[in-house]
Amino acid sequence: QVQLVESGGGLVQTGGSLRLSCAASGSIFMINDMGWYRQAPGKQREFVARITSGGSTNYADSVKGRFTISRDNAKNTVYLQMNSLKPEDTGVYYCNALLLRTPTPYQYSYWGQGTQVTVSS
């Protein structure tokens, strides 16, 4: 099996910073894309940022210039550095990984359990 475990969430004031981590473990042959999504109360889950195995990144317009996604392939870990946080960044942040469990083309999508980020005004 595969597990994704997030950490680093918490309560922060407007303008503050947090760094989220997500470590993947288990039966993994190779991880392709890793990313972060978030879900605010009463809203659908939305894309935040994504990074390929080669380090290419893309971001939601709402976080560009404030959030930075990075990864450590040796540790199967992805990070999200969040700066200049706003109350509208509040939500549960979920890690996602697209990975191969064996050396075949079949790709699986896994999700973490989520970590709460609350930005107070």
Side-chain angles (χ1 to χ4, degrees), residues 20-54:
L20 306 183
S21 300
C22 171
S25 63
S27 180
I28 299 171
F29 174 71
M30 182 174 70
I31 301 178
N32 292 326
D33 292 6
M34 300 186 82
W36 291 94
Y37 293 73
R38 66 187 181 190
Q39 188 166 17
K43 295 187 177 181
Q44 290 189 333
R45 190 174 298 188
E46 64 176 7
F47 167 75
V48 175
R50 196 149 200 92
I51 185 168
T52 68
S53 58

Side-chain angles (χ1 to χ4, degrees), residues 43-90:
K43 295 187 177 181
Q44 290 189 333
R45 190 174 298 188
E46 64 176 7
F47 167 75
V48 175
R50 196 149 200 92
I51 185 168
T52 68
S53 58
S56 296
T57 60
N58 64 302
Y59 297 90
D61 287 344
S62 59
V63 307
K64 280 181 182 176
R66 300 187 298 122
F67 291 10
T68 302
I69 189 170
S70 60
R71 65 190 282 176
D72 184 333
N73 290 331
K75 296 181 179 179
N76 287 342
T77 299
V78 64
Y79 306 95
L80 186 68
Q81 178 66 44
M82 305 185 294
N83 299 327
S84 303
L85 282 161
K86 306 174 181 179
E88 51 263 45
D89 295 317
T90 294

Side-chain angles (χ1 to χ4, degrees), residues 86-100:
K86 306 174 181 179
E88 51 263 45
D89 295 317
T90 294
V92 179
Y93 282 67
Y94 296 92
C95 171
N96 174 258
L98 299 178
L99 58 89
L100 306 179

